[in-house]
Amino acid sequence: MTPRIRPAFKALAMIAGPLFLASCATAPAVDADGAYAELPEPLLALAAPYQNLNKVRLDRTDNCFWYLHDGPVERTWLPLRTVNGNPICQASS
């Protein structure tokens, strides 16, 4: 005899299951500083070459990307910029 699954539970599982899996698949990998483990190609193409692209993070307060500058005295997060000097920001939804 097979157990009977309640229709409400089945409907909930059918809706919540794909949403849960999609949320896991779309979250980018970040390190302890919140920097991306791997940058998307469009972001690499936009960024000016003089910046450290090994440590880039998205600041949720301004939706702009920041990179870690290793100066002679201190390490500072600076806005990631294009070749023309414009900050690279993500469109807010």
Side-chain angles (χ1 to χ4, degrees), residues 18-85:
L19 290 175
F20 176 74
L21 292 176
S23 67
C24 293
T26 58
V30 293
D31 65 9
D33 292 329
Y36 291 104
E38 186 176 336
L39 294 178
E41 288 296 324
L43 187 60
L44 291 171
L46 283 172
Y50 59 85
Q51 302 165 112
N52 176 15
L53 298 180
N54 294 321
K55 284 289 237 187
V56 176
R57 67 181 181 189
L58 178 64
D59 186 348
R60 295 289 176 192
T61 59
D62 62 2
N63 275 344
C64 292
F65 291 92
W66 295 70
Y67 75 97
L68 187 61
H69 172 73
D70 286 319
V73 177
E74 64 185 2
R75 300 171 68 187
T76 307
W77 289 96
L78 298 175
L80 189 64
R81 298 192 177 271
T82 64
V83 176
N84 297 332

